[in-house]
């Protein structure tokens, strides 16, 4: 079984409801995931998965002192259990805007510049696939899509709920 990073765009009203009723939020997230398909672009999507790249993204962004925790979220959703490996957290619409603005200023090549694959292996970055320099290219397609997802969420004034599943 693999661990995947999951992100859900929510309106301010949906976030308020999620904070009051985490069970509703779980059902809403499942409904959104069921409704989308491979043809839904990151800009149109309400749900986005970083698949197994979540830990790599976290490692790379922390290395650059990225100001927003887009891997785990920042604020907990009280009493929300059973979402996966740990309770979900969220980013307010203001933090989503900041993240989108900062993500829009970088490329994946800039994100991995100066990183050695052995450094990822030594840090035990999940999943353990860091056996060659080319392994850093593995998440190259996810980063632009993640940036697009955040940009779209920011322009719609959405918050984002984040969890590992």
């Amino acid at each position: 079984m693999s661990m995947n990073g999951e992100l859900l765009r929510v309106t301010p009203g949906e976030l308020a409801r999620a904070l009051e009723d985490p069970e509703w939020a779980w059902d809403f997230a499942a409904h959104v995931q069921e409704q989308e398909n491979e043809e839904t672009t990151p800009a149109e999507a309400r749900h986005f998965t970083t698949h197994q790249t979540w830990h790599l993204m976290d490692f790379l962004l922390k290395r650059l002192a990225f100001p927003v925790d887009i891997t785990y979220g920042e604020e907990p959703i009280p009493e929300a259990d059973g979402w996966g490996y740990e309770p979900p957290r969220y980013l307010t619409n203001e933090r989503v805007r900041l993240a989108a603005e900062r993500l829009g200023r970088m490329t994946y090549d800039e994100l991995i510049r100066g990183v050695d694959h052995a450094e990822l292996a030594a840090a035990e970055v999940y999943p353990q696939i860091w056996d060659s320099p080319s392994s850093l290219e593995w998440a190259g397609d996810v980063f632009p899509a993640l940036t697009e997802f955040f940009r779209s969420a920011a322009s719609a004034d959405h918050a984002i709920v984040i969890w590992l599943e």
Side-chain angles (χ1 to χ4, degrees):
M1 178 186 257
S2 61
M3 294 175 70
N4 296 297
E6 307 293 343
L7 296 91
L8 178 70
R9 287 175 43 177
V10 293
T11 66
E14 291 164 345
L15 178 60
R17 184 167 181 191
L19 294 173
E20 292 296 318
D21 186 356
E23 197 169 306
W24 170 86
W26 173 250
D27 291 341
F28 179 69
H31 175 74
V32 168
Q33 287 174 299
E34 290 170 7
Q35 298 302 309
E36 294 183 349
N37 58 48
E38 294 94 34
E39 292 154 20
T40 305
T41 68
E44 300 166 326
R46 294 286 303 268
H47 168 261
F48 183 83
T49 182
T50 58
H51 301 287
Q52 294 179 41
T53 68
W54 60 271
H55 200 203
L56 173 63
M57 294 295 181
D58 185 57
F59 179 88
L60 295 171
L61 291 167
K62 281 183 178 169
R63 184 179 151 268
L64 297 177
F66 196 77
V68 181
D69 188 344
I70 67 170
T71 302
Y72 299 101
E74 296 179 341
E75 301 294 329
I77 295 181
E79 300 178 32
D81 297 320
W83 281 57
Y85 289 93
E86 50 191 58
R89 299 173 72 80
Y90 68 94
L91 301 173
T92 64
N93 54 349
E94 294 88 6
R95 301 296 285 164
V96 169
R97 275 195 301 278
L98 176 59
E101 189 267 325
R102 295 290 175 91
L103 287 169
R105 287 196 221 162
M106 64 178 67
T107 66
Y108 187 70
D109 286 340
E110 292 168 337
L111 193 60
I112 63 172
R113 186 175 295 132
V115 177
D116 183 83
H117 67 98
E119 182 181 358
L120 299 171
E124 298 182 354
V125 172
Y126 175 85
Q128 291 291 312
I129 61 165
W130 315 112
D131 55 353
S132 74
S134 64
S135 60
L136 277 164
E137 297 169 17
W138 173 63
D141 292 340
V142 174
F143 186 75
L146 178 66
T147 300
E148 186 178 341
F149 180 79
F150 265 87
R151 185 179 302 123
S152 182
S155 69
D157 201 33
H158 285 173
I160 294 180
V161 176
I162 302 170
W163 71 101
L164 295 178
E165 188 169 63

mmCIF file of all heavy atoms in Angstrom, residues 80-127:
data_model
loop_
_atom_site.group_PDB
_atom_site.id
_atom_site.type_symbol
_atom_site.label_atom_id
_atom_site.label_comp_id
_atom_site.label_asym_id
_atom_site.label_seq_id
_atom_site.Cartn_x
_atom_site.Cartn_y
_atom_site.Cartn_z
ATOM 1 N N ALA A 80 -11.489 15.375 13.433
ATOM 2 C CA ALA A 80 -11.543 14.696 12.131
ATOM 3 C C ALA A 80 -10.562 13.535 12.164
ATOM 4 O O ALA A 80 -9.367 13.709 11.975
ATOM 5 C CB ALA A 80 -11.201 15.674 11.009
ATOM 6 N N ASP A 81 -11.069 12.363 12.428
ATOM 7 C CA ASP A 81 -10.238 11.172 12.470
ATOM 8 C C ASP A 81 -10.625 10.258 11.320
ATOM 9 O O ASP A 81 -11.688 10.403 10.726
ATOM 10 C CB ASP A 81 -10.426 10.445 13.808
ATOM 11 C CG ASP A 81 -9.985 11.298 14.982
ATOM 12 O OD1 ASP A 81 -8.955 11.974 14.865
ATOM 13 O OD2 ASP A 81 -10.695 11.293 16.011
ATOM 14 N N GLY A 82 -9.768 9.306 11.042
ATOM 15 C CA GLY A 82 -10.092 8.307 10.042
ATOM 16 C C GLY A 82 -9.950 8.751 8.600
ATOM 17 O O GLY A 82 -10.523 8.148 7.710
ATOM 18 N N TRP A 83 -9.203 9.816 8.359
ATOM 19 C CA TRP A 83 -9.011 10.294 6.993
ATOM 20 C C TRP A 83 -7.823 9.625 6.320
ATOM 21 O O TRP A 83 -7.557 9.860 5.169
ATOM 22 C CB TRP A 83 -8.780 11.803 6.990
ATOM 23 C CG TRP A 83 -10.018 12.620 7.122
ATOM 24 C CD1 TRP A 83 -10.940 12.563 8.116
ATOM 25 C CD2 TRP A 83 -10.458 13.637 6.235
ATOM 26 N NE1 TRP A 83 -11.913 13.484 7.904
ATOM 27 C CE2 TRP A 83 -11.647 14.165 6.757
ATOM 28 C CE3 TRP A 83 -9.955 14.173 5.055
ATOM 29 C CZ2 TRP A 83 -12.357 15.193 6.133
ATOM 30 C CZ3 TRP A 83 -10.652 15.196 4.433
ATOM 31 C CH2 TRP A 83 -11.837 15.697 4.969
ATOM 32 N N GLY A 84 -7.066 8.884 7.025
ATOM 33 C CA GLY A 84 -5.875 8.264 6.448
ATOM 34 C C GLY A 84 -4.843 8.066 7.526
ATOM 35 O O GLY A 84 -5.133 7.587 8.612
ATOM 36 N N TYR A 85 -3.636 8.497 7.236
ATOM 37 C CA TYR A 85 -2.526 8.265 8.157
ATOM 38 C C TYR A 85 -2.501 9.223 9.334
ATOM 39 O O TYR A 85 -1.882 8.951 10.346
ATOM 40 C CB TYR A 85 -1.196 8.315 7.393
ATOM 41 C CG TYR A 85 -1.039 7.104 6.513
ATOM 42 C CD1 TYR A 85 -1.444 7.133 5.185
ATOM 43 C CD2 TYR A 85 -0.529 5.917 7.015
ATOM 44 C CE1 TYR A 85 -1.327 6.010 4.382
ATOM 45 C CE2 TYR A 85 -0.408 4.796 6.221
ATOM 46 C CZ TYR A 85 -0.818 4.846 4.905
ATOM 47 O OH TYR A 85 -0.715 3.731 4.127
ATOM 48 N N GLU A 86 -3.121 10.356 9.183
ATOM 49 C CA GLU A 86 -3.232 11.317 10.276
ATOM 50 C C GLU A 86 -4.411 12.231 9.981
ATOM 51 O O GLU A 86 -4.883 12.279 8.852
ATOM 52 C CB GLU A 86 -1.928 12.103 10.475
ATOM 53 C CG GLU A 86 -1.356 12.707 9.226
ATOM 54 C CD GLU A 86 0.051 13.226 9.445
ATOM 55 O OE1 GLU A 86 0.931 12.454 9.834
ATOM 56 O OE2 GLU A 86 0.244 14.423 9.206
ATOM 57 N N PRO A 87 -4.909 12.957 10.971
ATOM 58 C CA PRO A 87 -6.062 13.825 10.725
ATOM 59 C C PRO A 87 -5.746 14.898 9.676
ATOM 60 O O PRO A 87 -4.604 15.343 9.544
ATOM 61 C CB PRO A 87 -6.321 14.463 12.092
ATOM 62 C CG PRO A 87 -5.719 13.522 13.075
ATOM 63 C CD PRO A 87 -4.516 12.943 12.382
ATOM 64 N N PRO A 88 -6.763 15.330 8.953
ATOM 65 C CA PRO A 88 -6.559 16.361 7.936
ATOM 66 C C PRO A 88 -6.269 17.714 8.565
ATOM 67 O O PRO A 88 -6.644 17.982 9.700
ATOM 68 C CB PRO A 88 -7.886 16.380 7.179
ATOM 69 C CG PRO A 88 -8.882 15.959 8.215
ATOM 70 C CD PRO A 88 -8.163 14.946 9.063
ATOM 71 N N ARG A 89 -5.607 18.523 7.768
ATOM 72 C CA ARG A 89 -5.322 19.895 8.153
ATOM 73 C C ARG A 89 -5.733 20.768 6.971
ATOM 74 O O ARG A 89 -6.026 20.256 5.901
ATOM 75 C CB ARG A 89 -3.847 20.053 8.493
ATOM 76 C CG ARG A 89 -3.428 19.148 9.680
ATOM 77 C CD ARG A 89 -1.939 19.150 9.927
ATOM 78 N NE ARG A 89 -1.452 20.390 10.497
ATOM 79 C CZ ARG A 89 -1.524 20.732 11.782
ATOM 80 N NH1 ARG A 89 -2.068 19.902 12.644
ATOM 81 N NH2 ARG A 89 -1.053 21.864 12.219
ATOM 82 N N TYR A 90 -5.713 22.065 7.163
ATOM 83 C CA TYR A 90 -6.131 22.927 6.057
ATOM 84 C C TYR A 90 -5.262 24.172 5.972
ATOM 85 O O TYR A 90 -4.516 24.501 6.899
ATOM 86 C CB TYR A 90 -7.610 23.309 6.180
ATOM 87 C CG TYR A 90 -7.933 24.220 7.351
ATOM 88 C CD1 TYR A 90 -7.965 25.595 7.191
ATOM 89 C CD2 TYR A 90 -8.196 23.695 8.617
ATOM 90 C CE1 TYR A 90 -8.268 26.431 8.264
ATOM 91 C CE2 TYR A 90 -8.497 24.505 9.685
ATOM 92 C CZ TYR A 90 -8.533 25.871 9.495
ATOM 93 O OH TYR A 90 -8.824 26.702 10.561
ATOM 94 N N LEU A 91 -5.385 24.813 4.829
ATOM 95 C CA LEU A 91 -4.771 26.119 4.582
ATOM 96 C C LEU A 91 -5.907 27.101 4.343
ATOM 97 O O LEU A 91 -6.824 26.810 3.568
ATOM 98 C CB LEU A 91 -3.882 26.086 3.331
ATOM 99 C CG LEU A 91 -2.736 25.099 3.322
ATOM 100 C CD1 LEU A 91 -2.062 25.076 1.954
ATOM 101 C CD2 LEU A 91 -1.727 25.441 4.403
ATOM 102 N N THR A 92 -5.865 28.246 4.981
ATOM 103 C CA THR A 92 -6.868 29.280 4.735
ATOM 104 C C THR A 92 -6.686 29.824 3.318
ATOM 105 O O THR A 92 -5.646 29.629 2.686
ATOM 106 C CB THR A 92 -6.712 30.441 5.730
ATOM 107 O OG1 THR A 92 -5.437 31.060 5.507
ATOM 108 C CG2 THR A 92 -6.848 29.973 7.176
ATOM 109 N N ASN A 93 -7.694 30.525 2.849
ATOM 110 C CA ASN A 93 -7.598 31.115 1.513
ATOM 111 C C ASN A 93 -6.423 32.097 1.411
ATOM 112 O O ASN A 93 -5.784 32.181 0.359
ATOM 113 C CB ASN A 93 -8.916 31.753 1.092
ATOM 114 C CG ASN A 93 -9.452 32.761 2.095
ATOM 115 O OD1 ASN A 93 -8.966 32.867 3.226
ATOM 116 N ND2 ASN A 93 -10.467 33.482 1.694
ATOM 117 N N GLU A 94 -6.093 32.778 2.495
ATOM 118 C CA GLU A 94 -4.952 33.688 2.473
ATOM 119 C C GLU A 94 -3.636 32.924 2.293
ATOM 120 O O GLU A 94 -2.754 33.343 1.541
ATOM 121 C CB GLU A 94 -4.873 34.526 3.760
ATOM 122 C CG GLU A 94 -6.005 35.498 3.953
ATOM 123 C CD GLU A 94 -7.205 34.877 4.685
ATOM 124 O OE1 GLU A 94 -7.116 33.712 5.141
ATOM 125 O OE2 GLU A 94 -8.232 35.564 4.778
ATOM 126 N N ARG A 95 -3.512 31.794 2.987
ATOM 127 C CA ARG A 95 -2.296 30.977 2.873
ATOM 128 C C ARG A 95 -2.225 30.308 1.500
ATOM 129 O O ARG A 95 -1.138 30.118 0.961
ATOM 130 C CB ARG A 95 -2.248 29.939 3.996
ATOM 131 C CG ARG A 95 -2.256 30.536 5.391
ATOM 132 C CD ARG A 95 -1.060 31.380 5.711
ATOM 133 N NE ARG A 95 0.094 30.516 5.941
ATOM 134 C CZ ARG A 95 1.348 30.938 5.944
ATOM 135 N NH1 ARG A 95 1.629 32.216 5.737
ATOM 136 N NH2 ARG A 95 2.336 30.094 6.154
ATOM 137 N N VAL A 96 -3.373 29.959 0.939
ATOM 138 C CA VAL A 96 -3.408 29.397 -0.414
ATOM 139 C C VAL A 96 -2.909 30.441 -1.413
ATOM 140 O O VAL A 96 -2.117 30.123 -2.305
ATOM 141 C CB VAL A 96 -4.831 28.907 -0.783
ATOM 142 C CG1 VAL A 96 -4.934 28.577 -2.264
ATOM 143 C CG2 VAL A 96 -5.208 27.705 0.073
ATOM 144 N N ARG A 97 -3.342 31.684 -1.256
ATOM 145 C CA ARG A 97 -2.877 32.754 -2.157
ATOM 146 C C ARG A 97 -1.358 32.926 -2.062
ATOM 147 O O ARG A 97 -0.680 33.057 -3.078
ATOM 148 C CB ARG A 97 -3.572 34.076 -1.833
ATOM 149 C CG ARG A 97 -4.913 34.222 -2.500
ATOM 150 C CD ARG A 97 -5.424 35.659 -2.480
ATOM 151 N NE ARG A 97 -5.580 36.209 -1.141
ATOM 152 C CZ ARG A 97 -6.621 35.998 -0.357
ATOM 153 N NH1 ARG A 97 -7.616 35.243 -0.757
ATOM 154 N NH2 ARG A 97 -6.693 36.547 0.832
ATOM 155 N N LEU A 98 -0.833 32.931 -0.833
ATOM 156 C CA LEU A 98 0.617 33.069 -0.658
ATOM 157 C C LEU A 98 1.346 31.887 -1.304
ATOM 158 O O LEU A 98 2.338 32.075 -2.020
ATOM 159 C CB LEU A 98 0.972 33.166 0.831
ATOM 160 C CG LEU A 98 2.466 33.222 1.157
ATOM 161 C CD1 LEU A 98 3.146 34.423 0.494
ATOM 162 C CD2 LEU A 98 2.679 33.230 2.668
ATOM 163 N N ALA A 99 0.863 30.687 -1.067
ATOM 164 C CA ALA A 99 1.495 29.503 -1.650
ATOM 165 C C ALA A 99 1.448 29.567 -3.173
ATOM 166 O O ALA A 99 2.455 29.292 -3.845
ATOM 167 C CB ALA A 99 0.814 28.234 -1.151
ATOM 168 N N ALA A 100 0.324 29.942 -3.732
ATOM 169 C CA ALA A 100 0.183 30.016 -5.191
ATOM 170 C C ALA A 100 1.152 31.035 -5.778
ATOM 171 O O ALA A 100 1.797 30.779 -6.810
ATOM 172 C CB ALA A 100 -1.253 30.372 -5.567
ATOM 173 N N GLU A 101 1.258 32.158 -5.113
ATOM 174 C CA GLU A 101 2.157 33.210 -5.602
ATOM 175 C C GLU A 101 3.605 32.724 -5.581
ATOM 176 O O GLU A 101 4.347 32.895 -6.541
ATOM 177 C CB GLU A 101 1.968 34.460 -4.731
ATOM 178 C CG GLU A 101 2.672 35.691 -5.233
ATOM 179 C CD GLU A 101 4.056 35.838 -4.623
ATOM 180 O OE1 GLU A 101 4.237 35.481 -3.447
ATOM 181 O OE2 GLU A 101 4.941 36.297 -5.351
ATOM 182 N N ARG A 102 4.009 32.079 -4.503
ATOM 183 C CA ARG A 102 5.387 31.589 -4.387
ATOM 184 C C ARG A 102 5.652 30.413 -5.325
ATOM 185 O O ARG A 102 6.729 30.327 -5.917
ATOM 186 C CB ARG A 102 5.697 31.190 -2.950
ATOM 187 C CG ARG A 102 5.674 32.353 -1.974
ATOM 188 C CD ARG A 102 6.857 33.301 -2.191
ATOM 189 N NE ARG A 102 6.795 34.447 -1.359
ATOM 190 C CZ ARG A 102 7.349 34.549 -0.145
ATOM 191 N NH1 ARG A 102 8.015 33.546 0.361
ATOM 192 N NH2 ARG A 102 7.216 35.652 0.550
ATOM 193 N N LEU A 103 4.705 29.489 -5.437
ATOM 194 C CA LEU A 103 4.879 28.359 -6.357
ATOM 195 C C LEU A 103 5.019 28.857 -7.797
ATOM 196 O O LEU A 103 5.797 28.311 -8.582
ATOM 197 C CB LEU A 103 3.687 27.388 -6.261
ATOM 198 C CG LEU A 103 3.610 26.537 -5.012
ATOM 199 C CD1 LEU A 103 2.253 25.843 -4.928
ATOM 200 C CD2 LEU A 103 4.742 25.521 -4.963
ATOM 201 N N GLY A 104 4.267 29.896 -8.127
ATOM 202 C CA GLY A 104 4.312 30.459 -9.475
ATOM 203 C C GLY A 104 5.646 31.090 -9.841
ATOM 204 O O GLY A 104 5.914 31.336 -11.014
ATOM 205 N N ARG A 105 6.462 31.341 -8.853
ATOM 206 C CA ARG A 105 7.777 31.948 -9.090
ATOM 207 C C ARG A 105 8.888 30.928 -9.285
ATOM 208 O O ARG A 105 10.042 31.312 -9.444
ATOM 209 C CB ARG A 105 8.176 32.813 -7.899
ATOM 210 C CG ARG A 105 7.444 34.084 -7.783
ATOM 211 C CD ARG A 105 8.209 34.965 -6.823
ATOM 212 N NE ARG A 105 7.316 35.681 -5.938
ATOM 213 C CZ ARG A 105 7.683 36.231 -4.809
ATOM 214 N NH1 ARG A 105 8.921 36.108 -4.371
ATOM 215 N NH2 ARG A 105 6.826 36.900 -4.082
ATOM 216 N N MET A 106 8.576 29.627 -9.206
ATOM 217 C CA MET A 106 9.647 28.635 -9.313
ATOM 218 C C MET A 106 9.280 27.531 -10.293
ATOM 219 O O MET A 106 8.112 27.306 -10.573
ATOM 220 C CB MET A 106 9.982 28.053 -7.942
ATOM 221 C CG MET A 106 8.870 27.271 -7.292
ATOM 222 S SD MET A 106 9.309 26.531 -5.686
ATOM 223 C CE MET A 106 9.532 27.945 -4.651
ATOM 224 N N THR A 107 10.310 26.877 -10.774
ATOM 225 C CA THR A 107 10.125 25.717 -11.629
ATOM 226 C C THR A 107 10.613 24.486 -10.871
ATOM 227 O O THR A 107 11.315 24.607 -9.858
ATOM 228 C CB THR A 107 10.941 25.846 -12.928
ATOM 229 O OG1 THR A 107 12.334 25.817 -12.600
ATOM 230 C CG2 THR A 107 10.594 27.119 -13.688
ATOM 231 N N TYR A 108 10.280 23.338 -11.400
ATOM 232 C CA TYR A 108 10.744 22.106 -10.761
ATOM 233 C C TYR A 108 12.264 22.008 -10.843
ATOM 234 O O TYR A 108 12.907 21.566 -9.890
ATOM 235 C CB TYR A 108 10.078 20.877 -11.390
ATOM 236 C CG TYR A 108 10.408 19.618 -10.635
ATOM 237 C CD1 TYR A 108 9.890 19.389 -9.368
ATOM 238 C CD2 TYR A 108 11.262 18.666 -11.171
ATOM 239 C CE1 TYR A 108 10.205 18.246 -8.647
ATOM 240 C CE2 TYR A 108 11.576 17.514 -10.459
ATOM 241 C CZ TYR A 108 11.052 17.317 -9.202
ATOM 242 O OH TYR A 108 11.365 16.185 -8.502
ATOM 243 N N ASP A 109 12.831 22.437 -11.957
ATOM 244 C CA ASP A 109 14.296 22.412 -12.079
ATOM 245 C C ASP A 109 14.952 23.268 -11.001
ATOM 246 O O ASP A 109 15.979 22.887 -10.435
ATOM 247 C CB ASP A 109 14.738 22.888 -13.466
ATOM 248 C CG ASP A 109 14.466 21.857 -14.547
ATOM 249 O OD1 ASP A 109 14.307 20.659 -14.218
ATOM 250 O OD2 ASP A 109 14.399 22.251 -15.727
ATOM 251 N N GLU A 110 14.365 24.421 -10.700
ATOM 252 C CA GLU A 110 14.897 25.266 -9.624
ATOM 253 C C GLU A 110 14.717 24.587 -8.263
ATOM 254 O O GLU A 110 15.586 24.694 -7.393
ATOM 255 C CB GLU A 110 14.202 26.625 -9.620
ATOM 256 C CG GLU A 110 14.528 27.465 -10.831
ATOM 257 C CD GLU A 110 13.626 28.678 -10.976
ATOM 258 O OE1 GLU A 110 12.494 28.681 -10.444
ATOM 259 O OE2 GLU A 110 14.054 29.626 -11.659
ATOM 260 N N LEU A 111 13.608 23.885 -8.112
ATOM 261 C CA LEU A 111 13.321 23.213 -6.847
ATOM 262 C C LEU A 111 14.340 22.116 -6.545
ATOM 263 O O LEU A 111 14.735 21.938 -5.390
ATOM 264 C CB LEU A 111 11.909 22.623 -6.898
ATOM 265 C CG LEU A 111 11.276 22.139 -5.613
ATOM 266 C CD1 LEU A 111 11.151 23.249 -4.585
ATOM 267 C CD2 LEU A 111 9.898 21.546 -5.908
ATOM 268 N N ILE A 112 14.788 21.403 -7.563
ATOM 269 C CA ILE A 112 15.725 20.297 -7.329
ATOM 270 C C ILE A 112 17.190 20.691 -7.509
ATOM 271 O O ILE A 112 18.078 19.897 -7.220
ATOM 272 C CB ILE A 112 15.408 19.077 -8.226
ATOM 273 C CG1 ILE A 112 15.567 19.412 -9.701
ATOM 274 C CG2 ILE A 112 14.029 18.522 -7.893
ATOM 275 C CD1 ILE A 112 15.466 18.201 -10.621
ATOM 276 N N ARG A 113 17.439 21.921 -7.925
ATOM 277 C CA ARG A 113 18.817 22.372 -8.136
ATOM 278 C C ARG A 113 19.639 22.205 -6.854
ATOM 279 O O ARG A 113 19.229 22.609 -5.770
ATOM 280 C CB ARG A 113 18.847 23.830 -8.569
ATOM 281 C CG ARG A 113 20.257 24.301 -8.948
ATOM 282 C CD ARG A 113 20.268 25.709 -9.503
ATOM 283 N NE ARG A 113 19.542 25.726 -10.763
ATOM 284 C CZ ARG A 113 18.602 26.629 -11.079
ATOM 285 N NH1 ARG A 113 18.284 27.574 -10.235
ATOM 286 N NH2 ARG A 113 17.986 26.576 -12.233
ATOM 287 N N GLY A 114 20.780 21.553 -6.991
ATOM 288 C CA GLY A 114 21.686 21.374 -5.867
ATOM 289 C C GLY A 114 21.349 20.200 -4.968
ATOM 290 O O GLY A 114 22.041 19.960 -3.981
ATOM 291 N N VAL A 115 20.297 19.448 -5.279
ATOM 292 C CA VAL A 115 19.917 18.295 -4.470
ATOM 293 C C VAL A 115 20.562 17.046 -5.061
ATOM 294 O O VAL A 115 20.503 16.818 -6.261
ATOM 295 C CB VAL A 115 18.381 18.118 -4.431
ATOM 296 C CG1 VAL A 115 18.000 16.872 -3.643
ATOM 297 C CG2 VAL A 115 17.726 19.341 -3.846
ATOM 298 N N ASP A 116 21.169 16.260 -4.226
ATOM 299 C CA ASP A 116 21.775 15.000 -4.649
ATOM 300 C C ASP A 116 20.847 13.856 -4.264
ATOM 301 O O ASP A 116 20.282 13.867 -3.161
ATOM 302 C CB ASP A 116 23.140 14.842 -3.974
ATOM 303 C CG ASP A 116 23.851 13.607 -4.434
ATOM 304 O OD1 ASP A 116 24.496 13.669 -5.498
ATOM 305 O OD2 ASP A 116 23.748 12.586 -3.729
ATOM 306 N N HIS A 117 20.711 12.891 -5.147
ATOM 307 C CA HIS A 117 19.818 11.764 -4.860
ATOM 308 C C HIS A 117 20.219 11.023 -3.580
ATOM 309 O O HIS A 117 19.366 10.508 -2.853
ATOM 310 C CB HIS A 117 19.756 10.799 -6.050
ATOM 311 C CG HIS A 117 21.036 10.087 -6.312
ATOM 312 N ND1 HIS A 117 21.267 8.819 -5.857
ATOM 313 C CD2 HIS A 117 22.162 10.473 -6.955
ATOM 314 C CE1 HIS A 117 22.482 8.445 -6.226
ATOM 315 N NE2 HIS A 117 23.030 9.432 -6.890
ATOM 316 N N ALA A 118 21.507 10.998 -3.272
ATOM 317 C CA ALA A 118 21.976 10.336 -2.050
ATOM 318 C C ALA A 118 21.470 11.071 -0.803
ATOM 319 O O ALA A 118 21.222 10.453 0.232
ATOM 320 C CB ALA A 118 23.492 10.246 -2.044
ATOM 321 N N GLU A 119 21.304 12.373 -0.909
ATOM 322 C CA GLU A 119 20.764 13.173 0.199
ATOM 323 C C GLU A 119 19.322 12.741 0.511
ATOM 324 O O GLU A 119 18.933 12.647 1.674
ATOM 325 C CB GLU A 119 20.807 14.647 -0.220
ATOM 326 C CG GLU A 119 20.344 15.635 0.786
ATOM 327 C CD GLU A 119 20.403 17.065 0.254
ATOM 328 O OE1 GLU A 119 20.846 17.306 -0.897
ATOM 329 O OE2 GLU A 119 19.974 17.945 1.006
ATOM 330 N N LEU A 120 18.552 12.457 -0.526
ATOM 331 C CA LEU A 120 17.177 11.998 -0.334
ATOM 332 C C LEU A 120 17.143 10.615 0.292
ATOM 333 O O LEU A 120 16.321 10.339 1.166
ATOM 334 C CB LEU A 120 16.433 11.994 -1.671
ATOM 335 C CG LEU A 120 16.308 13.357 -2.347
ATOM 336 C CD1 LEU A 120 15.763 13.201 -3.755
ATOM 337 C CD2 LEU A 120 15.454 14.293 -1.535
ATOM 338 N N ALA A 121 18.048 9.754 -0.148
ATOM 339 C CA ALA A 121 18.134 8.409 0.429
ATOM 340 C C ALA A 121 18.525 8.493 1.904
ATOM 341 O O ALA A 121 17.931 7.823 2.750
ATOM 342 C CB ALA A 121 19.122 7.555 -0.352
ATOM 343 N N ALA A 122 19.498 9.339 2.219
ATOM 344 C CA ALA A 122 19.957 9.481 3.605
ATOM 345 C C ALA A 122 18.853 10.047 4.505
ATOM 346 O O ALA A 122 18.749 9.680 5.673
ATOM 347 C CB ALA A 122 21.193 10.371 3.670
ATOM 348 N N ALA A 123 18.026 10.921 3.944
ATOM 349 C CA ALA A 123 16.923 11.510 4.711
ATOM 350 C C ALA A 123 15.700 10.590 4.750
ATOM 351 O O ALA A 123 14.689 10.942 5.361
ATOM 352 C CB ALA A 123 16.540 12.860 4.110
ATOM 353 N N GLU A 124 15.799 9.435 4.112
ATOM 354 C CA GLU A 124 14.714 8.451 4.058
ATOM 355 C C GLU A 124 13.417 9.050 3.519
ATOM 356 O O GLU A 124 12.320 8.819 4.044
ATOM 357 C CB GLU A 124 14.497 7.788 5.416
ATOM 358 C CG GLU A 124 15.718 7.023 5.886
ATOM 359 C CD GLU A 124 15.520 6.321 7.216
ATOM 360 O OE1 GLU A 124 14.481 6.496 7.872
ATOM 361 O OE2 GLU A 124 16.442 5.574 7.592
ATOM 362 N N VAL A 125 13.559 9.828 2.451
ATOM 363 C CA VAL A 125 12.391 10.421 1.803
ATOM 364 C C VAL A 125 11.581 9.304 1.151
ATOM 365 O O VAL A 125 12.111 8.484 0.412
ATOM 366 C CB VAL A 125 12.814 11.491 0.772
ATOM 367 C CG1 VAL A 125 11.622 11.961 -0.046
ATOM 368 C CG2 VAL A 125 13.485 12.660 1.477
ATOM 369 N N TYR A 126 10.290 9.294 1.454
ATOM 370 C CA TYR A 126 9.357 8.296 0.936
ATOM 371 C C TYR A 126 8.998 8.625 -0.504
ATOM 372 O O TYR A 126 8.795 9.795 -0.814
ATOM 373 C CB TYR A 126 8.095 8.289 1.801
ATOM 374 C CG TYR A 126 7.016 7.375 1.300
ATOM 375 C CD1 TYR A 126 7.010 6.028 1.634
ATOM 376 C CD2 TYR A 126 6.008 7.842 0.469
ATOM 377 C CE1 TYR A 126 6.019 5.179 1.177
ATOM 378 C CE2 TYR A 126 5.021 6.996 0.004
ATOM 379 C CZ TYR A 126 5.037 5.673 0.354
ATOM 380 O OH TYR A 126 4.069 4.825 -0.109
ATOM 381 N N PRO A 127 8.862 7.637 -1.371
ATOM 382 C CA PRO A 127 9.282 6.245 -1.243
ATOM 383 C C PRO A 127 10.777 6.125 -1.508
ATOM 384 O O PRO A 127 11.380 7.008 -2.120
ATOM 385 C CB PRO A 127 8.478 5.526 -2.318
ATOM 386 C CG PRO A 127 8.275 6.554 -3.388
ATOM 387 C CD PRO A 127 8.194 7.875 -2.658
#
